[in-house]
Amino acid sequence: MLSYVLRRLIYMIPIVVGVSLVCFVLVHLAPGDPLVSVLPPDASEALKAQMMATYGFDRPYWHQFGLWVGRALQGDLGTSIATSRPVASEVLRAVSNTLLLAAVATAIGFAFGCLFGFVAGYFHDSWIDKAASALAVVGVSVPHYWLGMVLVIVFSVELNLLPPTGAGPDGSGDWAWNWAHMRHLILPAVTMSVIPMGIIARTVRALVADILGQEFVGALRAKGLGDRGVFRHVVKNAAPTALAVMGLQLGYLLGGSILIETVFSWPGTGFLLNAAIFQRDLPLLQGTILVLALFFVFLNLAVDVLQTGLDPRIQRG
Amino acid sequence: MPIVEIKDLRVTFTGGGKPVPAVSGVDLEVERGETLAILGESGSGKSVTLRALMRLNPEGKSRMEGTVRVAGQDVAALGRRELRAFRGRTAAMIFQEPSLALDPVYTLGQQIAEAVMVHDGCSRNEAMARALALFERVRIPSPERRLQAYPHEMSGGMRQRAMIALALSCRPQLLLADEPTTALDATVQIQILVLVRELQREFGLAVIFVTHDIGVAVEVADRIAVMYAGRVVESGPMREVIRRPRHPYTIGLLRSRAHGALAKGARLETIPGAPPDLADLPPGCPFAPRCFLATATCATTAPGPEPVGAGHQARCLRVDATAALLPAVAEG
């Protein structure tokens, strides 16, 4: 198992190189002048050239890429053009906010998705199944930014129960585990949880219905197990797939739902990406994409390792 | 008193549109220590009859009528808790395809220990020790290691041995075997049959062995019951039924065996036609449309069981005609 993890980590090197190359190229292919947001429209050519030199935009692309990778390896992702702050700390803060939101949303989605999926699969083809499946379809298909706005209208505007935007009181971007901050998490997390809930519910329903139809379930009853004993077997059979789906969902949500974070002004990676794109903030954009890509790769590894631990039929050495 | 008494058992599947009577009026008895083979083709109701003995047919989608008594207990009347105690302890089952009947994500040791712990309430260590003894008893090589193995890590024959060990783990009085050798190689089949017979003597088990293979039935059975379209059409002591079959269906089955060397160019005799649609049975004898002895009466009158010898019955209106065929069948 350890050698498997090590080997997977080594395989990650080419992936990371590829990802950083692609994200560098994409960002530089995009049209727009990166300095447009910091220079006044009537700035002199000399000043422009000086700024280009400061940020290194005057050098050849391969040189820029080399410098960027070299610094990134030392944990330095450059300086944001718009805010003049180090990209690494900006990204880190945004990632921690997004991670929090994504983890809570996935947890809610996983819990309810499993519940609905299990009930639907257990009462396969009954009205309970149909109701739960309909709910799952709604969860997958409803536009989340729309749902977010509806929730804001109901709970913030009409009922005045929960704050509509931000990650904390007074627009502070730093998280703390207290009720004043947690109130801000509820609406975006619930909105976001609807996606994984629907997908996990459908997966678990199909899994449970399939497992219950297998012959070994009859054999378990034949040896004298009751519903509780059979339930334990069904859970262990369904767990590897359900967890894999949950891991992938967490990965998608980590990419930061740009729409949801924008609706709720949640200071996460989606929000940051959105700002970086509109301000042509190339270092910030590059850094954010790279960190997110790395996250995804690590998450996949974690899911694979967990699955191997759970399902003896998956052989990895 | 016989350990199994089935009287007028009827199982109807109601899941789809039209109710399907899979078993319609089966009477069977099995004595302690006796092996009964239920012989029949797919759809004859043999597996459904077997599952009815443990109430394993899906409760929401099937209806069970008639009396089923196992070891003095009325199976249909058992409560949930009694049923759990009954399954695995009074009667245990082994299945056709052990790779499907074992949970793929638990080790074999865990699966056996689980049954032992449920029924005897003993500790995991005691249960594992029992599992080890059983693995030795069913002659699984390097049993300690195999207890830690998952089903997919074993061969088909070993899996079936493990399944037998699991079935015997709570010392049942009745062993139900649902085509346990069908999925195995011919050489492994014989080993498993020999093992079942050995264990049956050792534990004094009553065994009901469902099979479509006459060779297997001859190998294990004291008595044979032949099923067709949800009914027992002929039953009796094994030798008697094989040597003096009195139902045209049994005669057809025996004739359609490729026994020994079939002469080159000789055609294998078969029973013409196909088994009837259970949801749409003819009013008379269900075998009449395929029967070489059928008369006009057979199509309208359902035959009752006719005694044709000591403990030997055939459900046929033309037992006199089949009696006349006897020397020919015995030769064949």
Side-chain angles (χ1 to χ4, degrees):
Chain A
M1 179 59 100
L2 193 67
S3 75
Y4 166 68
V5 174
L6 278 177
R7 214 171 50 217
R8 279 291 301 264
L9 285 173
I10 293 168
Y11 287 160
M12 275 173 61
I13 294 171
I15 298 177
V16 170
V17 170
V19 163
S20 50
L21 190 62
V22 166
C23 99
F24 181 85
V25 168
L26 273 183
V27 165
H28 283 82
L29 276 181
D33 182 350
L35 295 178
V36 77
S37 58
V38 281
L39 285 175
D42 55 350
S44 69
E45 284 302 313
L47 182 61
K48 252 188 200 166
Q50 194 203 327
M51 286 299 279
M52 292 285 268
T54 319
Y55 283 101
F57 291 137
D58 56 341
R59 292 175 223 211
Y61 284 143
W62 61 266
H63 196 178
Q64 285 189 39
F65 179 65
L67 278 179
W68 179 61
V69 170
R71 286 206 215 100
L73 282 178
Q74 299 162 38
D76 175 11
L77 291 172
T79 309
S80 160
I81 298 174
T83 62
S84 301
R85 276 186 291 206
V87 170
S89 69
E90 292 272 296
V91 172
L92 217 62
R93 211 172 63 157
V95 162
S96 68
N97 281 333
T98 292
L99 194 62
L100 175 76
L101 178 59
V104 172
T106 311
I108 298 174
F110 188 69
F112 283 93
C114 283
L115 182 70
F116 288 151
F118 216 97
V119 170
Y122 199 85
F123 298 100
H124 190 56
D125 278 342
S126 68
W127 65 267
I128 300 176
D129 175 22
K130 289 190 180 111
S133 301
L135 215 63
V137 170
V138 169
V140 173
S141 1
V142 75
H144 322 108
Y145 54 89
W146 175 81
L147 180 67
M149 288 189 257
V150 169
L151 289 180
V152 166
I153 290 170
V154 173
F155 289 97
S156 305
V157 180
E158 296 294 330
L159 300 175
N160 203 15
L161 282 175
L162 295 166
T165 59
D170 312 322
S172 87
D174 292 307
W175 179 256
W177 285 105
N178 57 35
W179 174 239
H181 284 80
M182 266 143 76
R183 295 173 68 215
H184 285 262
L185 183 61
I186 295 174
L187 284 184
V190 167
T191 309
M192 211 180 212
S193 73
V194 169
I195 320 164
M197 192 191 310
I199 290 172
I200 290 169
R202 287 203 297 193
T203 311
V204 169
R205 169 185 179 268
L207 277 171
V208 168
D210 175 59
I211 293 166
L212 285 177
Q214 283 182 36
E215 189 161 319
F216 77 79
V217 174
L220 290 176
R221 296 204 181 278
K223 75 179 182 188
L225 291 194
D227 287 333
R228 202 154 12 121
V230 172
F231 176 78
R232 213 173 49 234
H233 283 262
V234 172
V235 168
K236 187 155 185 206
N237 273 273
T241 315
L243 280 178
V245 173
M246 184 187 86
L248 286 178
Q249 289 303 310
L250 183 62
Y252 290 131
L253 297 191
L254 271 185
S257 166
I258 294 191
L259 294 175
I260 289 179
E261 289 189 358
T262 307
V263 166
F264 291 100
S265 301
W266 182 264
T269 49
F271 196 60
L272 194 66
L273 271 180
N274 194 19
I277 291 168
F278 278 103
Q279 296 171 337
R280 302 269 177 277
D281 195 341
L282 296 196
L284 187 59
L285 197 52
Q286 256 167 246
T288 313
I289 296 176
L290 181 68
V291 169
L292 287 180
L294 286 182
F295 243 97
F296 214 94
V297 173
F298 268 112
L299 202 74
N300 272 325
L301 174 65
V303 166
D304 281 354
V305 170
L306 202 62
Q307 248 187 323
T308 315
L310 279 174
D311 191 338
R313 283 168 298 180
I314 302 174
Q315 285 280 319
R316 279 164 188 157
Chain B
M1 197 178 78
I3 183 164
V4 176
E5 281 179 284
I6 303 178
K7 284 217 178 65
D8 197 29
L9 173 69
R10 286 165 197 276
V11 181
T12 313
F13 284 92
T14 49
K18 203 170 173 187
V20 177
V23 175
S24 25
V26 161
D27 302 288
L28 282 174
E29 283 186 0
V30 182
E31 299 291 336
R32 283 175 197 274
E34 183 187 45
T35 303
L36 169 75
I38 303 181
L39 192 65
E41 58 198 301
S42 354
S44 61
K46 56 190 194 305
S47 288
V48 177
T49 305
L50 197 70
R51 278 158 201 262
L53 282 166
M54 286 175 85
R55 247 167 73 191
L56 281 174
N57 291 309
E59 303 234 311
K61 290 171 185 159
S62 65
R63 201 172 58 234
M64 185 172 141
E65 292 152 301
T67 346
V68 176
R69 297 184 75 83
V70 177
Q73 288 174 288
D74 181 354
V75 175
L78 294 176
R80 288 169 83 87
R81 185 184 296 268
E82 294 164 319
L83 185 62
R84 287 210 299 273
F86 170 85
R87 288 170 172 171
R89 152 128 297 164
T90 308
M93 189 176 275
I94 55 181
F95 294 82
Q96 176 171 0
E97 188 63 80
S99 55
L100 300 178
L102 292 165
D103 185 332
V105 300
Y106 282 87
T107 65
L108 294 164
Q110 286 171 335
Q111 300 193 44
I112 295 177
E114 182 179 35
V116 176
M117 289 190 293
V118 162
H119 286 290
D120 292 1
C122 60
S123 75
R124 179 165 292 274
N125 284 341
E126 286 167 347
M128 276 296 182
R130 171 111 52 101
L132 180 63
L134 283 159
F135 264 35
E136 280 164 358
R137 185 61 200 85
V138 298
R139 290 195 294 276
I140 290 177
S142 44
E144 292 94 348
R145 200 159 50 79
R146 295 305 175 97
L147 279 178
Q148 313 294 325
Y150 292 94
H152 70 275
E153 297 171 329
M154 311 245 287
S155 69
M158 284 302 139
R159 277 200 288 262
Q160 196 57 284
R161 285 173 194 265
M163 188 86 227
I164 293 171
L166 169 60
L168 296 181
S169 63
C170 298
R171 306 191 181 99
Q173 305 167 44
L174 172 66
L175 180 66
L176 305 173
D178 190 1
E179 305 217 29
T181 57
T182 306
L184 302 175
D185 287 347
T187 49
V188 182
Q189 274 190 15
I190 291 294
Q191 296 170 8
I192 295 291
L193 291 178
V194 168
L195 179 66
V196 168
R197 212 164 44 185
E198 220 180 274
L199 294 169
Q200 185 238 333
R201 290 205 187 110
E202 185 179 324
F203 291 77
L205 287 168
V207 179
I208 301 184
F209 207 102
V210 157
T211 178
H212 64 256
D213 185 336
I214 298 182
V216 168
V218 170
E219 197 67 41
V220 294
D222 301 314
R223 283 196 306 125
I224 288 184
V226 181
M227 283 191 72
Y228 187 79
R231 295 161 176 81
V232 174
V233 291
E234 179 160 11
S235 65
M238 186 268 284
R239 268 171 232 289
E240 173 86 4
V241 173
I242 297 297
R243 289 197 186 137
R244 281 197 284 273
R246 298 293 295 280
H247 193 283
Y249 178 63
T250 318
I251 295 170
L253 280 181
L254 286 164
R255 279 184 180 167
S256 61
R257 271 189 309 167
H259 33 159
L262 195 63
K264 195 175 175 184
R267 286 186 66 89
L268 183 65
E269 255 190 81
T270 55
I271 303 172
D277 177 4
L278 289 174
D280 191 20
L281 283 177
C285 170
F287 187 63
R290 302 172 74 186
C291 181
F292 63 101
L293 290 171
T295 60
T297 338
C298 291
T300 51
T301 314
E306 296 284 334
V308 289
H312 187 181
Q313 298 181 322
R315 207 178 257 268
C316 179
L317 295 173
R318 310 228 41 216
V319 282
D320 299 335
T322 53
L325 288 168
L326 276 180
V329 177
E331 272 167 35

